[in-house]
Amino acid sequence: MIIQALDKIKQQTIISSLLLMIVGLLMLIIPVRHDAILVEVLGYVILLLGGSMIWDFISGKKKLSSWILFAAALLLVVLGIFILISDDDILTVLSVLFGVLLIIDGLHSTVHAWMYARRSGKKWWWLLLILSISLMVAGVVILNNPWWRTEHSFVKVIGGVLLYAAAVGIVRLILVWPIRSKQGALG
């Protein structure tokens, strides 16, 4: 059972790290004149993600975790619509969106550091814990948006932090997988 959970974590980490790298690089290299297009694409992607999560809920079994994901999907749809219709408050929308996502990813990495890397006897599990905490701090900083007043500079900061989040995801993968048991069997 734990091996299946770790396989799922491994796949999710690889996919999310690749996506974060792609989005982060796009945000870093995109010219100023295309910032609005990037934000609009982000709105449509969030709408599609929310819609696919709703479709998974409709076609799947209705258990507690499904209802929680359904509520998250509804929030994503509302957020996607808000991104598409808001012009003036886009810095606020971006800071809230990416700040909350980074905090959630940091909490996710913290749980993996504590539950899996530490229990597997990895020497460097505390490094993942420190990186996870720094990811949450970066999320709080982006959420507050204290220094970046232009959309373009803020998009660049978010791109850099997303690349950092991808690096944390890769460290998480290295430290969590493969797990070695001292007793020879996991169970």
Side-chain angles (χ1 to χ4, degrees):
M1 181 148 157
I2 194 166
I3 297 297
Q4 293 155 343
L6 289 174
D7 280 337
K8 186 175 180 180
I9 291 169
K10 179 181 174 184
Q11 292 170 356
Q12 288 174 345
T13 301
I14 291 170
I15 291 170
S16 65
S17 293
L18 286 174
L19 287 174
L20 287 176
M21 278 185 203
I22 291 168
V23 171
L25 284 173
L26 276 174
M27 292 177 111
L28 285 174
I29 64 173
I30 195 163
V32 177
R33 64 183 181 274
H34 298 301
D35 282 344
I37 295 170
L38 181 67
V39 171
E40 192 170 326
V41 167
L42 176 68
Y44 284 118
V45 167
I46 290 173
L47 268 175
L48 286 173
L49 178 64
S52 72
M53 288 172 67
I54 290 172
W55 183 258
D56 287 344
F57 172 78
I58 291 170
S59 64
K61 293 182 180 180
K62 310 298 186 277
K63 39 187 186 172
L64 179 60
S65 61
S66 300
W67 285 98
I68 293 170
L69 288 175
F70 178 68
L74 290 176
L75 288 174
L76 285 175
V77 168
V78 169
L79 179 65
I81 291 170
F82 186 71
I83 287 173
L84 291 173
I85 63 172
S86 70
D87 288 331
D88 299 334
D89 298 327
I90 202 62
L91 280 179
T92 305
V93 173
L94 287 176
S95 64
V96 169
L97 173 68
F98 285 103
V100 168
L101 288 176
L102 286 170
I103 291 169
I104 290 171
D105 191 36
L107 287 171
H108 180 250
S109 293
T110 302
V111 168
H112 286 173
W114 192 257
M115 296 295 293
Y116 298 114
R118 182 181 65 89
R119 287 184 179 178
S120 70
K122 301 280 185 169
K123 291 183 198 178
W124 295 94
W125 70 270
W126 55 268
L127 176 66
L128 181 57
L129 189 64
I130 292 170
L131 291 173
S132 304
I133 292 169
S134 68
L135 200 58
M136 288 186 282
V137 169
V140 170
V141 168
I142 285 182
L143 195 60
N144 291 328
N145 187 14
W147 298 290
W148 309 284
R149 299 291 178 224
T150 65
E151 291 175 8
H152 187 68
S153 63
F154 193 54
V155 166
K156 299 295 183 203
V157 169
I158 291 173
V161 172
L162 287 180
L163 282 175
Y164 178 70
V168 171
I170 291 168
V171 170
R172 179 176 62 219
L173 177 66
I174 291 169
L175 290 178
V176 171
W177 192 266
I179 286 191
R180 284 181 256 136
S181 175
K182 293 179 183 177
Q183 297 141 353
L186 295 173

